[in-house]
Structures are given as C-alpha cells and as structure tokens.
Amino acid sequence: MKAFTLFGPSDTILLFGAASSSVSSRTQLSFPQTQRLLFCRAETDASVSLVNVPPNLLLAEREEAKAVLRMFLTNQGMNRLTAARKMKKLDRFVDHLMLRLHTVYKTRYLVGRELTTPEIRDALIPYLDEFVEEHGDNFVEVLEYFPIPIVKDKTVQENTNTSEDDNYVVETSEEFVQKATSHSRASNNTETPNLPPHVVYLEELGMELEVIKEVIRKFPAFAYYSLEGKIKPVVEFLLDLGISKSDIPAIITKRPQLCGISLTENLIPTMAFLEDLGVDKKKWAKVIYRFPALLTYSRSKLQATVDFLYEMGLSSQDVGKVLTRCPSIISYSIDEKLRPTSHYFDSIGVNPAVVMSRYPQVFGLSVEASLKPVTDFFMQKGYHVADVALMASRYGAIYSFSVEDNLLPKWEYFLSMEYPKTELVKFPQYFGYSLEERIKVRYEVVKESGVRLLLNQVLSLSDEDFYKLLKRKVKKKNACA
C-alpha cells in the first residue's frame, strides 16, 4: 500500500475517510489533464471488524503507533522536544496509521488478538519510509496537514483553458509563502505549506485549519471544490442574504455540500420552491444558519415532508411557520420519526398537529427513549393521561427534557412550593425555567414577602413586571391588615 502518492493526469483518485468500526467509505474523483495533487490513498477492506477488540487494547495500540511516529521523527533528525510538540498536531495522521494496522492485521482483529510492539513497528516504519523517500524534507508538512491535499510543484501549462480553481497548482512554494505570510505558524515560526486557494480563502473567512481538516475528513470531495466557480459564489450569495461573515464557517462546517451546488440551477430555484411552500423569505439568513442542509435536499423529499404535515392537519400558514422556525424537520424520516411520533401523541389524547405547529423539534425525538419516559414520569406522580395530554398541548417542549436531569429535581422542589399539583397542568412551562437561577430565586422572594402569586406570575413575568406586581400585592396586603 502506498500513501500520498503523486498521480499523473490519467489517474483516478480515491480519497478515503477515517476508519470506522466496520467499513470505510470512499469518494471517487477524476481530475483534469493538468492537475497533480498529493493525497492519501489507503486500500481498505470492508471485512475488517473491530467488534472483538477491547477499547483499552485499541487505545494502547494507538499509543504504540504514536510512539513509533515520534521515534521516526527523531530518527529523521528532529530533536525530541520538537518531535513531542509536533505530535500534538498529527492526530489525524495517527488515526490513519491505525487504519493501516487494521488493514494489515485484519485477521488478528477478527479474533481479538493483541498486536506486539515489533509487529506494529514492522507495519508502520516501512510505511513511513515511503513518505521520506517520496517527499524528502516536505514529508512532515504532508503529515501535519493530513488529509488536506498539498501542492507539490508548479505544473501550469500554457494555452490551456483550465481555470485557477480546476488546477490548484498555480504558484511555487516561494510565491505562496510571500502571499500567505499571515498564515505562518506563530507557535514555532515554521512556514505554511502551499495550501490550495480555497483553504486559504476559508481561513481568511475565519475558519480554523483544524476545522477545515475535519470537514474534509468527513466529506473528502470538499477538498476539490472550485474556489471561483463554486465556493466563493455561494459564500457571497449567503452574505447578500444577510448572513454575517462570522457565521459562514459554521454553515460550511454543518453542510460543506452546500458549496458544491450550482446557484442558478439548484440553490435559488430550491429557495423559490420553499418560499412557495411557506418559508418566510425575509428570514432566510436565520433559516440557513439553523439548518443549511435544507437547501441540499431534493424537491421530492421537501414535498413529501410538506404533504405529511398537511396530512397531520396543519394549515398552509402553520406549515410555513414550521419550515421557517424548524427547517431541520425536513431531515426527519416520515416513516421512522414523524409518523410514529404523530401516532403516539394521538394515542394519549394529544393533537399532533398542535404539538407540531408549536414545538416541531419534539418530532425528532425517539418515542421509546424520550417521549414515553416523560409520560410515565407524570403518570407515576399521580397525574391522569388527560392531564399529561393537556400539559403536552400547552407546552410540548416538556418532552424534550431529561427526566433525571430536569423533571425530577424541579418536581422535588415544586413539592416544597405549597402549590397544588394542578398548577403544573395549568403552567407546565415551569419545567422550562432554570431551577437555580429563576425558580428558586423568584419563589424565595415571594415567600419572604408573605403574599401569594400564581406559578406563572412567579416565573413568566419580566423582572420589572414581577417586582411591580409583588409590590402591589404587598401594599394591598398591608392595607387590609
């Protein structure tokens, strides 16, 4: 197996993501005649299974792999202190070395047998030697910026119509360093390698290099997106919609595929389609920031979800509000999430359309793991199913709270507040307030004043209105005394 091989014009490139517990995914990409890029090529086997390997064994082997890499760096002339510091930046490559071990010794992992130190060294040292042989003094940069492709040399041909974006290699290392001095590593004063233009562009937008690496690891095709043809036009379009520059990195991190979609043929028509379905066009900036993947779904998927919302009984106005406030609803499976959740609410006497229109995020929760435990909690506290249904209709978000971390401690404090249990049926929003910062503080003030307020008056009013009401109650009490 060879890594970070320099391929010629006719080669097809396979860029692999990090190893999973059972199968590695890969994306096949073809490149134009003039392009020559460095990347990681890893031949994996889907039959590799780590199911029999104890976690502590994998952790120990990872430490062994790091030790081999650190020793290799020192053998190449790097002093121990520098090598130790450099290791902190090589986690992605260490993961890749683990993939190498899992591939070479796959039969050992099938039976859960521990690898010996000599076996680990025998697999990794020759593999690392290939990097030195191929890249010489640049091999450390290749490791450090893994898996981002790094330009090796200048291969621009004359009389070609290939754009800057289709061919990253448009300048020598010296020219790049002069242009990207601001990207030098202040921590160790080493020069930044010749990164592809779109990586530099994203860094200038405020996207950290480690985040870019993570995006590429999860979605390898992003490494080869056109800067001028795809990324920059999408970013400028988002800025024109009112999205702040500081939010762009988060949007790209959430959905890098957005940068690979045509504006005129896909994004803009999809937005128009969603506006027809009810999305508030004045709130696109918020919608996209909340769920940028919305614009990457097919129209058939969008329409199918909207049709189900109508089937549930939502009005066209409610559908528009749901899509605007909770665009991630589109990602919920109709058969595995939306329909079962709708049936569950219906079974306990709750109109699912009411919950969907007010608290659509609840439909992304598991019926068995999240919804039923909440219902059971209140039933065990003496409430009837009709009470729970009324609470859910008034405050569906109650189903998004943890029983142990939220409902139970607030319930126990509620018992000390001298309110009847019916008060929670009237005002289930109680469970949405902070116990330490709101509930206890407000109630102690009311208790000390010697007056009585409804639970919703204690919690829902602003500080100004709360103290005005309390003052009036105290004044009235004193006048009657």
Side-chain angles (χ1 to χ4, degrees):
M1 180 173 74
K2 199 158 188 181
F4 283 84
T5 305
L6 185 62
F7 278 73
S10 63
D11 288 295
T12 298
I13 291 179
L14 296 177
L15 180 61
F16 289 81
S20 67
S21 61
S22 60
V23 61
S24 295
S25 61
R26 60 186 180 181
T27 301
Q28 181 168 310
L29 302 164
S30 296
F31 290 89
Q33 185 76 10
T34 58
Q35 189 165 8
R36 302 177 70 205
L37 295 174
L38 296 172
F39 69 99
C40 169
R41 185 182 189 183
E43 301 297 335
T44 61
D45 191 323
S47 66
V48 176
S49 175
L50 305 181
V51 69
N52 296 321
V53 184
N56 62 328
L57 174 57
L58 291 176
L59 181 60
E61 288 183 353
R62 194 174 193 281
E63 291 302 313
E64 285 277 8
K66 289 173 66 175
V68 169
L69 181 56
R70 185 166 52 248
M71 178 187 68
F72 185 83
L73 293 175
T74 57
N75 289 343
Q76 295 302 314
M78 188 179 293
N79 66 60
R80 292 185 179 181
L81 183 60
T82 303
R85 186 168 59 243
K86 187 68 67 175
M87 286 298 300
K88 298 177 181 179
K89 304 173 183 178
L90 301 182
D91 283 345
R92 294 279 178 255
F93 188 72
V94 172
D95 290 339
H96 179 65
L97 293 181
M98 289 295 290
L99 173 59
R100 167 69 174 172
L101 290 176
H102 300 163
T103 303
V104 173
Y105 294 112
K106 60 184 178 182
T107 57
R108 307 287 179 84
Y109 287 95
L110 290 175
V111 297
R113 191 180 81 73
E114 181 178 1
L115 297 179
T116 65
T117 298
E119 286 175 332
I120 293 175
R121 291 181 179 179
D122 288 345
L124 300 184
I125 291 179
Y127 185 62
L128 293 169
D129 283 335
E130 294 180 4
F131 287 87
V132 178
E133 180 180 351
E134 183 169 358
H135 304 296
D137 294 338
N138 295 324
F139 88 97
V140 176
E141 289 179 348
V142 174
L143 270 57
E144 183 175 347
Y145 284 83
F146 179 87
I148 294 178
I150 297 177
V151 176
K152 184 175 182 180
D153 55 14
K154 187 174 182 179
T155 59
V156 178
Q157 299 179 2
E158 295 182 359
N159 300 321
T160 178
N161 58 2
T162 303
S163 69
E164 173 190 352
D165 266 345
D166 293 329
N167 181 6
Y168 293 148
V169 195
V170 296
E171 54 193 7
T172 64
S173 297
E174 292 76 16
E175 291 170 339
F176 180 88
V177 170
Q178 291 176 1
K179 182 179 178 180
T181 303
S182 61
H183 297 278
S184 295
R185 297 298 183 88
S187 59
N188 56 15
N189 294 322
T190 59
E191 293 181 337
T192 302
N194 196 4
L195 298 174
H198 70 299
V199 174
V200 176
Y201 175 73
L202 292 173
E203 283 191 304
E204 291 172 349
L205 283 174
M207 198 167 179
E208 295 181 0
L209 187 59
E210 288 303 316
V211 176
I212 300 173
K213 289 181 182 180
E214 181 67 12
V215 168
I216 293 174
R217 185 186 71 81
K218 292 181 178 179
F219 188 67
F222 185 77
Y224 308 105
Y225 277 171
S226 163
L227 174 59
E228 298 297 335
K230 290 188 178 293
I231 297 178
K232 201 178 270 190
V234 169
V235 170
E236 291 174 353
F237 177 73
L238 295 178
L239 294 173
D240 288 342
L241 286 176
I243 295 174
S244 66
K245 181 180 177 181
S246 61
D247 288 338
I248 297 296
I251 291 173
I252 295 176
T253 301
K254 291 177 184 177
R255 197 67 168 181
Q257 297 94 321
L258 194 64
C259 292
I261 295 177
S262 168
L263 277 174
T264 56
E265 296 179 7
N266 193 297
L267 288 185
I268 294 176
T270 297
M271 290 174 66
F273 179 72
L274 285 164
E275 287 173 10
D276 289 340
L277 294 177
V279 172
D280 187 344
K281 61 182 179 181
K282 297 179 181 179
K283 297 182 179 180
W284 268 120
K286 291 183 178 179
V287 171
I288 294 173
Y289 180 75
R290 287 171 183 162
F291 191 62
L294 178 67
L295 300 181
T296 64
Y297 282 98
S298 67
R299 293 192 185 185
S300 60
K301 167 62 175 170
L302 299 173
Q303 187 65 62
T305 300
V306 169
D307 288 344
F308 182 77
L309 296 181
Y310 283 126
E311 180 185 323
M312 286 178 61
L314 272 73
S315 66
S316 58
Q317 185 178 10
D318 286 336
V319 169
K321 289 180 179 179
V322 168
L323 293 177
T324 303
R325 290 172 43 226
C326 185
S328 59
I329 196 74
I330 295 296
S331 67
Y332 302 164
S333 168
I334 293 176
D335 293 329
E336 296 178 10
K337 288 287 186 183
L338 300 183
R339 197 180 303 280
T341 302
S342 179
H343 286 167
Y344 176 73
F345 281 128
D346 196 41
S347 72
I348 63 172
V350 179
N351 184 344
V354 172
V355 180
M356 172 63 80
S357 63
R358 297 176 181 175
Y359 306 98
Q361 64 272 18
V362 171
F363 280 74
L365 303 174
S366 165
V367 172
E368 296 297 327
S370 298
L371 305 187
K372 286 185 177 181
V374 171
T375 299
D376 292 343
F377 173 81
F378 288 107
M379 298 286 284
Q380 291 167 6
K381 302 306 178 186
Y383 291 94
H384 297 292
V385 67
D387 296 327
V388 180
L390 192 54
M391 294 168 74
S393 298
R394 289 173 172 169
Y395 189 57
I398 200 170
Y399 278 96
S400 66
F401 299 144
S402 164
V403 171
E404 294 297 326
D405 298 333
N406 188 307
L407 301 185
L408 184 57
K410 291 177 182 178
W411 166 260
E412 291 176 345
Y413 186 77
F414 173 78
L415 295 179
S416 70
M417 296 174 73
E418 301 177 351
Y419 285 107
K421 291 196 299 183
T422 54
E423 197 74 5
L424 288 180
V425 178
K426 297 176 183 177
F427 189 67
Q429 291 88 342
Y430 164 84
F431 291 97
Y433 291 96
S434 168
L435 178 58
E436 299 297 330
E437 298 179 7
R438 186 80 161 194
I439 298 175
K440 288 184 177 181
V441 173
R442 287 279 184 94
Y443 183 68
E444 289 301 319
V445 172
V446 173
K447 190 175 181 180
E448 290 176 5
S449 70
V451 299
R452 187 170 182 81
L453 299 179
L454 297 175
L455 189 59
N456 70 325
Q457 293 175 323
V458 175
L459 299 175
S460 64
L461 298 176
S462 67
D463 284 342
E464 182 179 357
D465 290 341
F466 169 72
Y467 285 105
K468 281 183 179 179
L469 176 61
L470 196 63
K471 186 177 180 180
R472 288 200 305 270
K473 288 283 187 178
V474 171
K475 185 176 180 179
K476 182 176 181 181
K477 176 187 175 183
N478 293 336
C480 295

